[in-house]
Amino acid sequence: MQHSGYVEEGYGPVADAFARNFAEAGEIGAAVTVFAGGRKVVDLWGGVADERTGRAWEEHTAVPVMSASKGIVGVCAHLLAQQGRLDLDAPVARYWPEFGREGKEGITTRMILGHRAGLPVLDATPAFEEILGWTGVVRALEEQKPLWEPGTAHEYHGHTIGWLVGEVIRRIAGLTPGRFFRSAIADDLGLTTWIGVPEAELPGLARLSLGGAEPVQLPPDSLFARILTMNGELVFPGIDDPRGWNSPALLTAEIPGTGGVSSARGLATTYAAAVTGVDGGERLLSAGTVTDAVRVQSSGPSWSGFPDLGVSWGSGFHLDSGDQVPMLGPRSFGHDGAGGHLGFGDDEFGVGFGYVANRMIGEGDERAVRLVAAVRECLGR
């Protein structure tokens, strides 16, 4: 497979791993970007952005990145905390008074960021249009009772984390999280990364594909299915209009936990800016802020008994979790996304990393694992 882009001398193994993904893993279209020390050292793209038309993946092609969106929200929350505008350990009700009822009075933003708030799924079922419109989900969360005593257990807050942290951001900054991200970070850096993609960008997006794989079948009334589908109003891992993850309606709405759209360069630049700064700029997040973000908040079996897969969370981010969520070490923080996407930063190694693809592979996906292993090899650690 012929790919395009740039690889700095010494980073050839990343290009080799990228090509191997096409040769051995059935990659359709993909991109990977790596920053080291604030400098872009790998920027590769290749393959097909849309299988239906054969449209090529290009330099700035972006794709729905699913839960990699959570890392973007996490960066925004920690930026507000660093600015002294958000106390992660204060009750959410300090910023969002209507939230502080039905047993939620003591829930903190850190509990939410660590998936410990007891709100992984709604009792209510907002209609699809309400999910797109923000307020309906926020009101449902205000009325919700936690499933367990907040702070005492964890369960993946697959969608709800986005609205929960996002409403805190909105109450503090006066902007929804997607708009805050663009205003505070993305516009200055020229990122092809959005939560709520502009309609003008839709024609250039890569189209997600199941790549011939059968969709995962989950018992519709199971907790995990309810978490992933907002009680059946969304489809997982469905991709087709009107409620799958190629839907223009979903992608242009602000669904902060899962609805982000980004290029690999956008993810990598976000994290590089956070941990080192890029092209001589100052880093967005201080060493102390990163230390706070990477303290383990949750790991092990979940509240519902979902087994320990070796994954751990800090405050808003996946932490380095071996082949499950591959990163570089104890200072790494980021988030993966269903289908293989991965973005992370590490201020010990000075790395910002982004990988996106349009073929959604489930269990056994080694594409990001190979790429991160190659980065580690190049760094000599």
Side-chain angles (χ1 to χ4, degrees):
M1 192 279 302
Q2 293 293 319
H3 54 69
S4 301
Y6 166 79
V7 180
E8 188 171 289
E9 184 177 355
Y11 287 86
V14 182
D16 294 341
F18 188 65
R20 184 181 171 195
N21 282 345
F22 281 88
E24 299 179 11
E27 197 81 279
I28 297 170
V32 62
T33 303
V34 183
F35 281 79
R39 191 180 73 256
K40 189 164 54 185
V41 295
V42 175
D43 197 29
L44 297 171
W45 61 91
V48 174
D50 189 336
E51 281 188 301
R52 302 170 305 173
T53 64
R55 175 167 54 90
W57 197 292
E58 298 179 343
E59 179 178 0
H60 298 291
T61 297
V63 65
V65 295
M66 311 298 283
S67 284
S69 314
K70 293 178 174 67
I72 297 168
V73 175
V75 170
C76 292
H78 283 278
L79 182 60
L80 285 172
Q82 182 173 279
Q83 293 170 347
R85 301 166 71 184
L86 169 60
D87 182 345
L88 297 178
D89 297 305
V92 166
R94 173 187 295 183
Y95 311 102
W96 176 6
E98 299 89 339
F99 181 79
R101 51 181 169 155
E102 301 291 349
K104 303 191 301 295
E105 294 83 354
I107 291 176
T108 67
T109 304
R110 194 181 305 279
M111 289 179 192
I112 298 168
L113 290 168
H115 301 271
R116 305 184 69 81
L119 302 168
V121 67
L122 293 175
D123 291 335
T125 302
F128 182 67
E129 292 72 20
E130 291 179 292
I131 292 171
L132 302 182
W134 191 268
T135 303
V137 179
V138 168
R139 294 291 172 264
L141 287 166
E142 291 172 356
E143 296 168 5
Q144 178 91 11
K145 293 181 179 180
L147 296 184
W148 62 83
E149 183 181 347
T152 63
H154 74 93
E155 190 76 58
Y156 189 51
H157 287 45
H159 286 289
T160 55
I161 189 173
W163 283 286
L164 288 163
V165 180
E167 182 66 8
V168 172
I169 291 171
R170 191 183 76 82
R171 295 295 179 115
I172 293 170
L175 297 169
T176 53
R179 293 180 180 180
F180 177 74
F181 172 68
R182 293 300 309 183
S183 174
I185 300 171
D187 285 344
D188 286 346
L189 295 172
L191 302 184
T192 47
T193 304
W194 299 271
I195 296 172
V197 67
E199 287 192 11
E201 302 289 340
L202 288 171
L205 298 186
R207 178 179 172 81
L208 294 175
S209 170
L210 295 179
E214 291 295 322
V216 176
Q217 299 296 323
L218 297 170
D221 57 349
S222 70
L223 179 64
F224 201 49
R226 292 177 60 212
I227 288 171
L228 295 179
T229 67
M230 290 288 287
N231 289 334
E233 287 298 305
L234 305 179
V235 181
F236 183 86
I239 60 173
D240 294 323
D241 235 357
R243 301 189 183 193
W245 291 98
N246 287 315
S247 165
L250 280 174
L251 298 177
T252 54
E254 287 203 28
I255 302 179
T258 53
V261 168
S262 186
S263 63
R265 188 186 297 173
L267 287 180
T269 306
T270 297
Y271 285 104
V275 299
T276 62
V278 295
D279 299 328
E282 293 187 7
R283 63 187 288 182
L284 289 174
L285 302 182
S286 70
T289 297
V290 171
T291 297
D292 186 56
V294 299
R295 291 191 181 99
V296 176
Q297 301 298 315
S298 297
S299 61
S302 75
W303 172 80
S304 69
F306 195 79
D308 181 6
L309 299 179
V311 177
S312 57
W313 286 270
S315 295
F317 304 103
H318 278 310
L319 306 180
D320 182 22
S321 302
D323 287 353
Q324 292 291 329
V325 187
M327 299 185 203
L328 296 176
R331 298 286 293 182
S332 295
F333 63 99
H335 218 286
D336 66 359
H341 320 287
L342 177 65
F344 71 87
D346 188 302
D347 64 353
E348 177 184 358
F349 291 95
V351 164
F353 175 93
Y355 163 71
V356 300
N358 59 353
R359 184 182 180 206
M360 297 187 72
I361 300 176
E363 189 174 352
D365 186 1
E366 296 186 353
R367 294 171 297 173
V369 174
R370 289 172 178 165
L371 291 165
V372 176
V375 173
R376 190 180 296 111
E377 176 187 344
C378 296
L379 295 171
R381 296 282 289 275

